[in-house]
């Protein structure tokens, strides 16, 4: 696969072609996923749960993230590498800059931060210094204690209006991408149309520019035995993991995934 860049992703949005993104934490899966056509490999702080066995993402450190970014980089064959800034890694501008630099030096092409319009100063600072930023909005796992649990966000009109305004403000601040998690499908579509940058969804319906799933979820693996509504097991019916990865990319590209059953209403 030719090297995927932000220009590539912007072109896909303009053409209306969906973007396939998956979490990834090691060299072997990076090789397999990028060979299958996954355009973005996300080293998510979800590794705290699926790899380390924690009950949330909060214990993950920036050093943990950098280790897995470097691992993914070694196996990657052309995908864009995005890395999460973990809990409290961007509490101040100084921390944001230092931790982002560590992840970029480890091999990331872009960092992802959780939050809303209050991140504008951090995003502007990073963009000015050559660090592209994806902003994770909606259900943000790092703030799950404030949100009161893993709940769909944006169902109330005032909250939906604020989320749309925040997305526009973040784009103006220099954000290169937005990720929406557990947001009503109609609202996610409205936000996607309101901004010029790519919008990726997880539990946000099919009206966004692309989809992301946790690798282990799309392979039907779970420590808890619970499956989120927006998850589909792509290994079912496939001969091997490479087949599952290709089925995921195809499902995203031909918009057969996500189906209405994977999304949320207002």
């Amino acid at each position: 696969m030719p090297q995927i860049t932000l220009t590539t992703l912007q072109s896909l949005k303009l053409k209306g072609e969906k973007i396939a993104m998956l979490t990834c934490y090691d060299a072997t899966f990076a090789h397999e996923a990028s060979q299958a056509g996954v355009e973005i490999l996300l080293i998510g702080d979800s590794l705290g749960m699926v790899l380390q066995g924690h009950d949330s993402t909060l214990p993950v450190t920036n050093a943990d993230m950098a280790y897995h970014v470097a691992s993914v980089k070694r196996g990657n064959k052309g995908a864009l590498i995005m890395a999460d800034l973990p809990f409290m890694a961007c509490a101040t501008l100084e921390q944001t800059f230092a931790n982002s630099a560590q992840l970029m030096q480890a091999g990331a092409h872009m960092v992802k931060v959780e939050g809303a319009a209050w991140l504008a100063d951090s995003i502007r600072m990073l963009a000015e210094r050559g660090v592209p930023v994806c902003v994770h909005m909606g259900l943000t796992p790092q703030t799950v204690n404030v949100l009161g649990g893993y709940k769909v966000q944006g169902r109330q009109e005032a909250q939906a209006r604020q989320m749309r305004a925040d997305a526009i403000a973040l784009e103006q601040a220099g954000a290169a991408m937005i990720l929406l998690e557990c947001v009503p499908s109609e609202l996610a579509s409205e936000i996607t149309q309101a901004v010029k940058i790519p919008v990726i969804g997880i539990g946000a319906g099919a009206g966004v520019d692309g989809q992301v799933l946790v690798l282990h979820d799309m392979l039907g693996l779970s420590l808890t035995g619970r499956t989120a509504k927006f998850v589909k097991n792509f290994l079912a019916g496939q001969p091997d993991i490479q087949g599952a990865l290709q089925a995921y990319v195809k499902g995203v590209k031909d918009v057969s995934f996500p189906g209405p059953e994977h999304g949320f209403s207002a």
Side-chain angles (χ1 to χ4, degrees):
M1 181 168 65
Q3 179 61 52
I4 302 296
T5 66
L6 287 175
T7 303
T8 312
L9 301 175
Q10 194 65 54
S11 175
L12 291 175
K13 177 179 175 109
L14 289 172
K15 291 189 295 186
E17 181 177 338
K18 300 297 185 181
I19 298 164
M21 176 175 171
L22 269 178
T23 66
C24 190
Y25 315 101
D26 64 41
T28 301
F29 273 107
H31 179 271
E32 291 297 308
S34 56
Q35 292 284 79
V38 175
E39 283 117 350
I40 307 174
L41 300 178
L42 168 64
I43 297 85
D45 59 3
S46 50
L47 67 86
M49 301 169 83
V50 299
L51 296 189
Q52 297 174 337
H54 296 299
D55 61 3
S56 76
T57 64
L58 303 191
V60 178
T61 67
N62 211 63
D64 291 336
M65 296 302 304
Y67 172 88
H68 287 281
V69 170
S71 299
V72 167
K73 180 181 185 294
R74 295 183 195 110
N76 180 37
K77 299 298 178 185
L80 184 139
I81 297 173
M82 182 190 298
D84 274 345
L85 281 166
F87 182 63
M88 288 299 169
C90 50
T92 67
L93 287 177
E94 292 76 13
Q95 285 177 304
T96 304
F97 179 69
N99 289 320
S100 297
Q102 184 180 16
L103 297 183
M104 296 293 284
Q105 288 171 332
H109 302 120
M110 174 184 248
V111 299
K112 179 164 75 67
V113 295
E114 294 187 8
W118 58 269
L119 285 165
D121 288 343
S122 295
I123 291 165
R124 194 173 295 109
M125 180 266 296
L126 290 173
E128 287 171 351
R129 288 158 179 78
V131 180
V133 184
C134 173
V135 183
H136 185 152
M137 302 176 66
L139 172 57
T140 47
Q142 291 175 17
T143 55
V144 67
N145 292 312
V146 172
L147 297 175
Y150 295 93
K151 300 176 180 178
V152 178
Q153 301 296 305
R155 278 184 160 151
Q156 294 76 33
E157 178 52 37
Q159 191 184 34
R161 197 181 314 117
Q162 186 63 56
M163 201 179 295
R164 282 191 294 267
D166 285 354
I168 293 168
L170 290 164
E171 179 184 29
Q172 292 171 345
M177 192 180 300
I178 290 171
L179 189 150
L180 298 175
E181 179 171 357
C182 290
V183 170
S185 300
E186 185 177 351
L187 173 59
S189 295
E190 291 172 4
I191 291 172
T192 302
Q193 293 163 20
V195 298
K196 295 181 174 64
I197 55 178
V199 177
I200 307 296
I202 178 168
V208 292
D209 298 311
Q211 300 293 328
V212 62
L213 283 178
V214 170
L215 174 68
H216 295 63
D217 287 345
M218 63 82 63
L219 293 176
L221 301 172
S222 171
L223 281 172
T224 65
R226 297 190 300 271
T227 302
K229 181 182 180 182
F230 52 75
V231 169
K232 178 179 177 179
N233 178 0
F234 282 89
L235 186 56
Q238 296 299 324
D240 53 27
I241 286 173
Q242 180 60 211
L245 292 167
Q246 292 174 4
Y248 171 70
V249 172
K250 181 178 184 297
V252 172
K253 295 288 185 181
D254 67 16
V255 203
S256 60
F257 176 79
E261 69 274 19
H262 299 116
F264 300 96
S265 58

